Amino acid sequence: MDELDAAVCGTHEGARYWCNKRDNPGAVMSSMLWVLTLFSDVVVAYVAVDGGWGVYNVPIYFLFSFLALISQLKTMFTNPGAVPRHAQPLIRASESGIPETICGRCDAYKPPRSHHCRICNRCIVRMDHHCPWMNNCIGANNQKHFMLFLLYTLVEAVYALALVLNNVRTGETYASEATRALVYTLLAVSIATLLFVATMMYNQVYAIVTGIGTIDRMRKRGPKGNFAPVPWVDVFGVDPWPMYLLPTDVKSAAEPKSSQTTEIFSNDPSSVSNVSNDPSQRPVSAEYPRRGRGDVDS
């Protein structure tokens, strides 16, 4: 049964569904996110029924909460752009002078601006960082879902702050001390959420505008590296712009039903560069040196 489960769900190549089972702290933190979101929903509904603010605010708040949670699930269970072990660089990439390197941990081709995640144990195309709140890496295929989660969560936090601060401005009194305690707990959660999520949204916008992701920025790989702004269509796909605001799958122009990682590497022998299939004949990425047989992941 365990072998069947491992074959169906995981981050390894060949798994039918992408899910990270290697990060226990990530599973706890992603669960905490749901608890905090649902707690906020309960408080907003309870205070509305108690007369603290209009009941019409409940379905509006619930809508953004629902969209945020759906986006979180899409981020968590979407393959962020794992590079297949047998991938090869495209001919046009080789002709343009893009360096061809291999990952010292995967012993396989590593596309530009990719990083190896030690938690997922895969190289991820355009990896920004591994997010424990999502229990997944943020990469080329799920960055849209992650940004939508941040957007909807920001709206939730601002909406809750507006409800509480409006009551403070008008001198609204609450029916019980329990209601007052819930309201001020919601206020604290909303302020903390707003500050943290706004910072994360800034990081994502910066990564797209400059092409320098969180990992590269922390390692101070600035403009001297092979970086360029990421086209918005590479993040949100070729759907009409109103679809950008919905947690739908990203569609690329080349292959509407495939991931955008096909624009960086290919499995078609006719479209790949004429490079050696022996990994030892290509330079090793400086991110991780090649390991010996006795070495283990840290």
Side-chain angles (χ1 to χ4, degrees), residues 39-50:
F39 168 79
S40 300
D41 292 344
V42 171
V43 172
V44 169
Y46 178 84
V47 176
V49 172
D50 204 40

Side-chain angles (χ1 to χ4, degrees), residues 115-134:
H115 294 284
H116 184 94
C117 176
R118 287 181 292 179
I119 298 176
C120 296
N121 198 32
R122 298 290 298 276
C123 280
I124 307 297
V125 174
R126 213 173 69 230
M127 177 179 171
D128 186 80
H129 68 289
H130 184 94
C131 181
W133 297 101
M134 301 291 109

Side-chain angles (χ1 to χ4, degrees), residues 22-239:
R22 297 163 55 93
D23 186 14
N24 292 331
V28 172
M29 293 178 70
S30 60
S31 300
M32 287 174 56
L33 185 151
W34 273 71
V35 170
L36 290 173
T37 302
L38 296 177
F39 168 79
S40 300
D41 292 344
V42 171
V43 172
V44 169
Y46 178 84
V47 176
V49 172
D50 204 40
W53 42 62
V55 178
Y56 63 87
N57 290 294
V58 176
I60 299 175
Y61 190 86
F62 277 16
L63 173 63
F64 289 110
S65 176
F66 172 77
L67 291 172
L69 292 177
I70 291 296
S71 298
Q72 194 264 355
L73 290 177
K74 292 284 287 184
T75 306
M76 182 186 299
F77 294 114
T78 296
N79 183 331
V83 182
R85 306 285 184 181
H86 54 278
Q88 294 288 323
L90 293 173
I91 294 176
R92 63 173 179 268
S94 301
E95 293 176 347
S96 63
I98 296 177
E100 298 171 357
T101 61
I102 65 168
C103 173
R105 291 180 179 255
C106 295
D107 271 344
Y109 171 63
K110 181 180 178 184
R113 292 197 288 187
S114 300
H115 294 284
H116 184 94
C117 176
R118 287 181 292 179
I119 298 176
C120 296
N121 198 32
R122 298 290 298 276
C123 280
I124 307 297
V125 174
R126 213 173 69 230
M127 177 179 171
D128 186 80
H129 68 289
H130 184 94
C131 181
W133 297 101
M134 301 291 109
N135 196 26
N136 199 4
C137 286
I138 307 302
N141 288 347
N142 65 352
Q143 190 173 26
K144 170 190 174 180
H145 307 315
F146 183 62
M147 293 189 70
L148 287 181
F149 165 77
L150 297 177
L151 175 64
Y152 298 139
T153 304
L154 278 174
V155 173
E156 278 189 277
V158 171
Y159 202 102
L161 283 173
L163 290 175
V164 176
L165 295 179
N166 182 66
N167 283 1
V168 173
R169 181 183 63 84
T170 59
E172 180 74 30
T173 58
Y174 301 105
S176 65
E177 286 299 320
T179 302
R180 175 187 291 272
L182 287 174
V183 168
Y184 284 106
T185 302
L186 177 64
L187 177 64
V189 171
S190 299
I191 292 175
T193 300
L194 179 62
L195 294 176
F196 179 74
V197 174
T199 302
M200 294 301 299
M201 179 63 85
Y202 169 79
N203 288 339
Q204 292 304 299
V205 174
Y206 181 89
I208 294 172
V209 172
T210 64
I212 304 174
T214 301
I215 293 177
D216 294 311
R217 189 168 67 254
M218 293 178 65
R219 293 176 178 174
K220 298 182 179 180
R221 297 177 182 175
K224 295 181 181 179
N226 182 28
F227 298 102
V230 179
W232 290 98
V233 70
D234 285 357
V235 178
F236 292 95
V238 296
D239 287 323

